[in-house]
Every structure is written in C-alpha cells, then in structure tokens.
C-alpha cells in the first residue's frame, strides 16, 4: 500500500543532474559553477516546519521560470488587443493577450473602453507604478504623444482569519488571495513637435522608431498597444503599429548583423499603410489631390508598400512620389506574386527620406502594376509588340535638368555631340498608350493605389542576363571638326603638348571631351578649356626609369574637368558671346588665347556662361559688344587676371538674373 506521508514513497525528479557536496565544492573552486539567485525553491521533507515565506519563495520560483519561458517565445501581442478611437473622447481595446518585455503574460478577457476624462485615475496609477516622475497635466489639458500600454499588476483581496502563531498573539484578518490583473495606462513619448504639426509628428516618430531604432525606455512589464496624439485631452490620431509588435518575430534579425527585428520591419509596413490611408483621406477632404511627394508627409518609407497611382504622370511617365535621386522603374507582375516580392523586400533597410542625395543615389525602387494572372499574357503581348523587350520602363523624376543622377561616364558621353530632339514615333506613341492602359487597369483594381518594392543593388534578375554589345558611332567628323577649330584658334602647339603628356586612355578622354559640339561650337570656350587642361599638367623630372616626357596629364584630371562641364546646356552662353569676342579680338589685333588665359586661370568659365545666358537676344547686342570690348581691354592690360575677374564679377552683378 502506498503511504503518502512516508518519505520512502516519494519519487524525486530526475530532470537535472544531482551534484553532491564534494563535487559542488570542486566546481566552486574552479569557477565553473554559476548560481541563478532568482531560481531558489524550498526543499520539502517530512518533519519540516513550513512558514509563509517558504511557500512565497516557491511561487516566486515558478513565476520567474514562467517569465523566462515567456521571453523565449518572443514579446508582443499574441492575438487581439487592437485599439480604436471613439469620437476622440475614449479608446477601446479589443480582448486578447500578449507577453511583455519582462515575460509577463497580460490577458484582457473582454473589451475595455478607457475614458479620457478619467485620466486622473490613470495619472495616480502612473505615479504609483513609477511610470511618471512627476504628476501629469490635468486630463482635459493633456497634450502630446503617448503610448497606450497594458501593464501587468497584482493586488491582494478576500480577507480571511489569521490564526495566532504564539500563545500571546491574537487572531487577525489578512487578505487571502493575490489577484493578477492588467491596467491600461498612458506613457508619455518624448517629442519636440509643435501642436500644429499633426501629421509630421507622426512621421517623425515613425522615422525615429523604424529607421533610427529609437527606444524610449518602456517599463519591462508594459505591453505597448498604440501611439496616440492628444490635443487638450482629445485624440487627434491613433497609430497602432507605431507601438504594437506581434509576438514570435522579435528575434528575427538577419544573421545578427544589426538589422531591425522582423516584428519591427513588419510593423513599419503596416504602420505606413495606415498612415498613407489617413493622408489620402485628409488630402481628399481638402481637395488637394493624390499627387504629392512622399517627403511632404513622411520622413521614412518602408522597403515595400503602396503609393498613389496619381503620382505617375502618364503623359511623360514621370513620378513625383520618390526623391529625384532614387532610381525608379515601372514593372508589371501578376497580383498573386506581390506578397512574395514584399516578403523579399522586407529584408532590405527602409528608405530614409532625410538622407542626402549621395545616400539616395544607390536606392532603387520598382513600382508594380499588379494585374490578374489570367490577364498577364494579354498585357505582356500588348507591351511586347510596342516595346520588344522586358516588361519594365524607367520613370523619370519631375525635376527638370537633374544633375544628381548624372554619372561622370554619362556626362562625358553627352559631350560627344549635341542631342537632337526628334518627334515621338508611332511606336513610341503605341508604347505610351499600352503602359497608360496597363496603369489605369491596375489602379482601378487596387482602388487608386500601386505597390512598390525596394530593389537590391546587386541585381539577380533574369532580364539582365545577356551578352555585352558595344555601340559605336562615326568618330571622324567630330575629330576633324575639332582639329579645324584648333587650327583656327592657333592652339595647335598646345594640343600637341597635351597629346604627348597624356596616356593613351587619357588622350582618348581628351578627344571625346573636346570634340563635343558644346566645346567646338565656341572658339572662346575651346580656348578656355585648352588652357584649363594646361593648368592640370604636372611637371616631372625625367629619369632613366621614367618616361621620356617632361609633363604628365592624368586621366582623373581630365575626368574632373569633364564634371565641371557636365550640364547639358553648358556652352550655350559662350556661344552667345563668341562672335562679339572674336570680332573684338580681330579689331584689337590680338589673339583669342590672350582672352582665354585669364578666364581659365581665374576659374571664371561658369560666370562667363551665366553672362552669356543673360545677354541673349537682339535687344542685348549692344551690351554684348561693350562687354567684349571691355573683356579684350582687360585681358591686354598690365594685370589681366585681376582686371578680367573684376570685369566679370561686376558685369554679372549688374545684369538682371
């Protein structure tokens, strides 16, 4: 028969290895033993005198283990606990449960409505729980950003009689139960925004949380549910996913490389989607339209999300949503592949709209036209007939004359010849119509919204696989025109000097740079550029091991000079001044090189270009002739550099912009 009160009948738990005293002392001496002071429990045996302290220690032991297990599975909301605003006077929390940062389980068995007019009670809870260091403002005047959170608390209740523990003691009444509960409270979120910045305070908080990874030190036993903006006690907006995190994803960072946990990245996508819906609603009510730049309402964008279809102009296929430095293209995919593409893009960092142009230059985004899969083949055939290539089209920025996206190679390439603007062909018109139809169809199916996804810089798309094809053009006409201009300008000796000093690759860049129509179109500009190249010559002392040349012209020096003239319209101003200067030089019986040298030495080419731009037209013919006369007189004087600089600066200030 099993006797429950006998020690021999009890079975010890064998889940852990038992360590005897000799082994324990050896482990302590070697420093290999680590004791967890939080996890101590009483050792029961027959004949032991039990006190309330022993049973309390056992409860604390199991509570500590339960909290450790809760943190192991992740922290956040398990299900439910969505927050809604009721006409700006109260907040409603759906039933559900979650796990706090400290591992405590918070359960809300039924819906809870928190009246903002009763915040005085919450204020006292804040003080008693240590959330606020000083009393908050009165409920009706409370303003600012707050995090609505559920906090796990406990209290004693149900008094029972307490028997005396000694002969002289008397019976008393003590609470007999510890009751666990959850309390809703508002935790202030530090924010320096003005009261009028309703939308931008939301955008600023989103950037701090999702881009900078800011942590405002929430109590470890609080479960954040939403962020709210209060204005004199009235709710202006509620953003759930600025504070809410789903459980199970908090440890999902990528290989521990410092990326935000997956729960934060997912929350950013959902939060942005809700914020965008509020922005579109407010703009519609104000009759402002859905075409706007993202930086007007956001400071950071998730790597994937939605954007208004109105941001794309189907007339010239430009986009106004993303910054002009971002590389944006338009593509068509089946609607059932959007989720997979967003899942891939969520591993990439967010798009920080406050970053500079250099940081955004390496950012690439695809705007997606999601169409039903059964219509995909029809759309593909229509675009293939018009485009005869992959289903992708570049979206230019609405900013005209953008220099930020121009690479040095492209800038030098543009210098080879002036672009001729040809009227759109029938094929171009058909292509634009096909893309416009696809855009309208995708917009109608998605309620006026399109999807976008950030692309990797290291592309692995199949449409980029192919053979390299070098495109060449007829180079002799440009070079012959360059040689003719050099002979007319009397700078053949300088040209040969540069040819000897430059390497083969460097001289090829020189020829490509100088043969551009913007350079050869003005004899004055050609002379100025040649003198600027002369200033970049590096003298060297010939040695037996060094090449037999007295000077060197490096390739990077030519490329740097090409950057200064990279603007497509540069040279038009010199062309305006060219005839008048040449006529004045001929009259004064001097050389054009005399005028070009101080312009190059004083780095005045940009100022000369602006003067020419502002002296266009027949009405300014007299001013141009006078300026040309003054320029030649200054260049042939005793101090040409200072005189030319003074003349150019004074002329630039005297003419209207």
């Amino acid at each position: 028969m099993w006797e429950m009160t006998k020690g021999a009948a009890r079975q010890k738990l064998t889940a852990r290895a038992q360590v005897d005293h000799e082994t324990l002392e050896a482990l302590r001496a070697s420093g290999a033993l680590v004791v967890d002071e939080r996890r101590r429990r009483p050792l029961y045996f027959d004949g032991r005198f039990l006190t309330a302290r022993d049973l309390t220690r056992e409860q604390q032991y199991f509570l500590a283990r339960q909290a450790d297990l809760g943190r192991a599975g992740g922290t956040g909301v398990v299900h439910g606990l969505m927050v809604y605003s009721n006409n700006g006077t109260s907040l409603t929390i759906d039933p559900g449960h979650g796990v706090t940062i400290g591992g405590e389980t918070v359960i809300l068995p039924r819906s809870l409505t928190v009246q903002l007019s009763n915040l005085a009670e919450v204020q006292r809870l804040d003080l008693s729980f240590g959330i606020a260091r000083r009393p908050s403002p009165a409920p009706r005047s409370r303003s600012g950003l707050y995090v609505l959170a559920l906090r796990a608390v406990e209290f004693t209740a149900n008094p029972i009689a307490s028997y005396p523990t000694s002969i002289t003691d008397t019976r008393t009444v003590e609470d007999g139960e510890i009751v666990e509960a959850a309390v809703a409270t508002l935790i202030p979120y530090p924010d320096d925004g003005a009261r009028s910045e309703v939308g931008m305070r939301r955008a600023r908080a989103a950037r701090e949380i999702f881009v900078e990874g800011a942590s405002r030190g929430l109590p470890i036993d609080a479960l954040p549910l939403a962020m709210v903006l209060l204005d004199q006690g009235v709710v202006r907006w509620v953003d759930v996913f600025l504070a809410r995190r789903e459980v199970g994803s908090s440890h999902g960072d990528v290989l521990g490389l410092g990326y935000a946990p997956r729960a934060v990245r997912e929350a950013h996508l959902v939060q942005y989607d809700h914020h965008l819906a509020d922005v579109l609603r407010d703009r519609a009510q104000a009759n402002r339209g859905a075409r706007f730049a993202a930086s007007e309402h956001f400071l950071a964008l998730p790597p994937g999300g939605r954007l208004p279809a109105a941001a794309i102009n189907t007339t010239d296929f430009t986009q106004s949503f993303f910054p002009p430095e971002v590389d944006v293209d338009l593509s068509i995919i089946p609607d059932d592949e959007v989720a997979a593409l967003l899942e891939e893009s969520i591993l990439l960092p967010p798009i920080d709209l406050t970053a500079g142009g250099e940081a955004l230059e390496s950012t690439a985004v695809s705007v997606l036209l999601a169409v039903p899969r059964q219509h995909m083949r029809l759309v593909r055939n229509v675009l293939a007939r018009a485009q005869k290539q992959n289903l992708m089209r570049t979206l230019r920025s609405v900013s005209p004359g953008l220099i930020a996206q121009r690479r040095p190679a492209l800038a030098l390439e543009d210098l080879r010849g002036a672009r001729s603007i040809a009227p759109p062909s029938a094929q171009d018109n058909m292509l634009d119509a096909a893309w416009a139809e696809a855009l309208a169809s995708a917009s109608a199916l998605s309620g006026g919204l399109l999807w976008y996804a950030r692309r990797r810089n290291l592309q692995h798309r199949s449409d980029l696989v192919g053979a390299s094809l070098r495109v060449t053009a007829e180079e002799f006409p440009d070079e012959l025109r360059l040689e003719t201009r050099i002979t007319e300008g009397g700078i053949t000796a300088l040209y040969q000097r540069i040819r000897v000093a430059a390497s083969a690759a460097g001289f090829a860049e020189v020829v490509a740079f100088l043969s551009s129509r913007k350079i050869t179109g003005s004899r004055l500009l050609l002379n100025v550029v040649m003198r600027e190249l002369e200033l970049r010559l590096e003298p060297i002392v010939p040695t037996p091991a060094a090449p037999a040349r007295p000077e060197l012209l490096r390739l990077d020096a030519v490329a740097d000079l090409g950057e200064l003239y990279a603007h497509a319209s540069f040279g038009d101003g010199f062309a305006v001044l060219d005839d008048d200067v040449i006529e004045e030089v001929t009259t004064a019986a001097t050389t054009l090189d005399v005028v070009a040298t101080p312009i190059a030495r004083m780095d005045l080419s940009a100022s000369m270009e602006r003067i020419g731009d502002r002296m266009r037209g027949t009405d300014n013919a007299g001013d141009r002739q006078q300026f040309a006369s003054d320029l030649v007189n200054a260049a042939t004087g005793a101090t040409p550099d200072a005189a030319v600089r003074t003349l150019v600066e004074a002329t630039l200030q005297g003419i209207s912009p």
Side-chain angles (χ1 to χ4, degrees):
M1 181 178 179
W2 181 28
E3 185 63 37
M4 298 180 61
T5 60
K6 299 297 184 181
R10 296 201 311 268
Q11 297 181 357
K12 292 185 178 181
L13 297 176
T14 58
R16 298 185 181 88
Q18 296 291 327
V19 180
D20 55 29
H21 289 282
E22 294 181 359
T23 306
L24 177 62
E25 293 300 329
L27 292 175
R28 283 179 174 173
S30 63
L33 183 68
V34 179
V35 178
D36 188 355
E37 298 294 340
R38 301 177 305 114
R39 297 167 66 174
R40 291 174 177 264
R41 66 183 190 273
L43 177 60
Y44 296 124
F45 54 88
D46 293 337
R48 171 172 178 165
F49 180 77
L50 294 179
T51 63
R53 181 183 60 183
D54 298 324
L55 299 178
T56 301
R57 286 175 54 201
E58 184 176 23
Q59 290 179 347
Q60 292 176 347
Y61 169 79
F62 284 105
L63 288 175
R65 292 200 61 187
Q66 183 180 2
D68 293 341
L69 291 176
R71 286 195 299 269
T75 61
V77 177
V78 177
H79 76 88
L81 300 180
M82 292 298 295
V83 181
Y84 308 94
S85 175
N86 302 323
N87 299 323
T89 60
S90 63
L91 298 174
T92 299
I93 308 174
D94 285 344
H97 77 279
V99 181
T100 67
I101 302 175
E104 294 288 341
T105 301
V106 179
I107 299 177
L108 199 64
R110 61 183 181 276
S111 179
L112 175 65
T113 299
V114 181
Q115 295 292 334
L116 297 180
S117 59
N118 296 332
L119 283 180
E121 181 180 357
V122 178
Q123 175 183 337
R124 289 194 297 271
L125 291 175
D126 288 346
L127 294 174
S128 62
F129 292 154
I131 297 177
R133 295 183 179 180
R134 56 185 178 182
S136 301
R140 297 186 181 276
S141 62
R142 179 174 291 187
S143 300
L145 288 179
Y146 293 86
V147 175
L148 177 66
L150 284 179
R151 186 167 185 182
V153 298
E154 62 181 27
F155 58 92
T156 59
N158 300 329
I160 60 174
S162 172
Y163 289 93
T165 58
S166 65
I167 299 176
T168 59
D169 288 344
T170 60
R171 296 185 62 179
T172 59
V173 177
E174 301 287 345
D175 289 338
E177 292 181 349
I178 299 177
V179 182
E180 296 182 356
V183 61
T185 185
L186 288 176
I187 303 175
Y189 183 87
D191 176 65
D192 298 330
R195 288 182 55 188
S196 58
E197 296 179 326
V198 177
M200 293 310 297
R201 295 177 75 174
R202 187 176 183 179
R204 187 181 300 110
R207 183 183 180 277
E208 290 177 355
I209 294 173
F210 297 121
V211 177
E212 298 179 355
S215 176
R216 297 299 182 174
L218 292 175
I220 62 173
D221 56 351
L223 177 64
L225 299 182
M227 183 175 290
V228 297
L229 175 62
L230 298 181
D231 186 6
Q232 299 297 321
V234 178
V235 177
R236 298 296 299 272
W237 51 258
V238 177
D239 197 317
V240 175
F241 288 93
L242 274 177
R244 177 190 176 102
R245 302 293 179 264
E246 301 294 334
V247 76
S249 302
S250 60
H251 302 294
D253 57 336
V254 182
L255 300 178
L257 296 178
Y259 295 149
R262 181 178 179 85
V264 178
R265 289 180 268 127
E266 290 179 352
H268 191 191
L269 194 153
V270 181
Q271 183 273 334
Y272 161 76
D273 197 62
H274 291 177
H275 192 177
L276 177 63
D278 293 343
V279 168
L280 293 175
R281 183 197 64 230
D282 295 341
R283 292 182 67 92
Q285 293 175 354
N287 294 324
R288 298 178 59 190
R291 183 177 175 85
F292 59 90
S295 57
E296 294 183 30
H297 303 281
F298 304 93
L299 298 180
L301 299 176
R306 297 196 288 181
L307 76 158
I312 300 177
N313 187 358
T314 56
T315 302
D316 53 1
F317 282 91
T318 58
Q319 61 86 22
S320 59
F321 190 76
F322 297 99
E325 295 84 1
V326 177
D327 182 15
V328 185
D329 60 33
L330 187 65
S331 183
I332 298 180
I333 63 170
D335 54 1
D336 55 2
E337 294 184 7
V338 173
L341 195 59
L342 292 177
E343 179 70 21
E344 180 182 357
S345 67
I346 203 174
L347 297 176
L348 300 176
I351 303 173
D352 187 0
L353 299 179
T354 63
E358 295 182 357
L360 293 175
E361 279 184 353
S362 59
T363 303
V365 174
S366 291
V367 178
L368 310 174
L369 303 183
V371 298
R373 183 170 289 276
Q374 60 270 23
H375 298 161
M376 188 66 186
R377 184 173 182 180
L378 176 62
V379 176
R380 184 192 300 271
N381 293 337
V382 172
L383 291 177
R385 287 196 301 269
Q387 197 170 6
K388 300 185 183 302
Q389 60 181 6
N390 55 64
L391 300 180
M392 187 170 294
R393 175 169 186 155
T394 301
L395 293 177
R396 296 180 294 106
S397 173
V398 295
S399 301
L402 181 66
I403 305 302
Q405 288 182 326
R406 293 173 61 86
R407 303 297 188 269
L410 296 178
L412 291 176
E413 188 70 21
D414 290 342
L415 297 177
R416 294 179 181 273
R419 295 182 178 179
S420 59
I421 302 176
S425 62
Q427 182 178 0
D428 294 334
N429 293 332
M430 183 173 62
L431 176 61
D432 292 343
W435 277 105
E437 182 180 356
L439 179 60
S441 176
S443 175
L445 292 175
S446 58
L449 296 174
L450 304 176
W451 291 97
Y452 76 87
R454 183 170 183 173
R455 301 198 312 268
R456 303 176 186 272
N457 286 314
L458 180 61
Q459 294 290 354
H460 51 81
R461 303 193 305 246
S462 60
D463 60 289
L464 295 179
V465 178
S468 175
L469 178 63
R470 183 176 182 180
V471 179
T472 59
E474 183 62 37
E475 69 275 12
F476 287 106
D478 293 336
E479 291 189 20
L480 291 176
R481 185 177 63 255
L482 173 62
E483 293 177 359
T484 302
R485 286 296 194 184
I486 289 175
T487 303
E488 294 174 352
I491 50 177
T492 304
L494 178 58
Y495 183 71
Q496 294 298 329
R497 178 183 169 190
I498 292 174
R499 185 170 189 171
V500 173
S503 63
F507 186 69
E509 291 293 334
V510 169
V511 173
F513 174 38
L514 296 179
S515 60
S516 170
R517 292 186 181 271
K518 70 165 61 178
I519 304 297
T520 58
S522 170
R523 290 172 55 182
L524 175 61
L525 179 58
L526 177 61
N527 274 263
V528 171
V529 172
M530 289 292 293
R531 291 303 168 184
E532 289 181 339
L533 286 173
E534 182 184 19
L535 295 175
R536 285 164 171 76
L537 293 174
E538 300 179 10
I540 62 173
V541 178
T543 61
R549 60 179 70 179
E551 297 171 311
L552 287 180
L553 179 61
R554 301 186 183 276
L555 178 60
D556 55 354
V558 181
D560 291 341
L561 183 60
E563 282 290 318
L564 300 177
Y565 295 89
H567 197 283
S569 62
F570 197 100
D572 297 341
F574 272 93
V576 172
L577 301 173
D578 203 55
D579 293 337
D580 296 305
V581 173
I582 292 175
E583 181 180 355
E584 189 64 30
V585 166
T586 305
T587 304
T590 184
T591 61
L592 192 62
D593 180 54
V594 174
V595 180
T597 300
I599 296 176
R601 280 201 296 253
M602 295 291 99
D603 195 17
L604 298 174
S605 58
S607 299
M608 289 287 295
E609 175 72 14
R610 289 195 292 271
I611 291 175
D613 285 336
R614 299 175 185 180
M615 287 187 175
R616 294 178 182 273
T618 57
D619 296 339
N620 297 318
D623 295 336
R624 291 197 302 268
Q625 294 173 359
Q626 184 63 44
F627 174 73
S629 176
D630 296 340
L631 181 64
V632 173
N633 292 333
T636 55
T639 56
D641 292 349
V644 170
R645 174 189 285 276
T646 302
L647 172 65
V648 170
E649 292 177 350
T651 304
L652 192 60
Q653 294 177 359
I655 56 179
S656 59

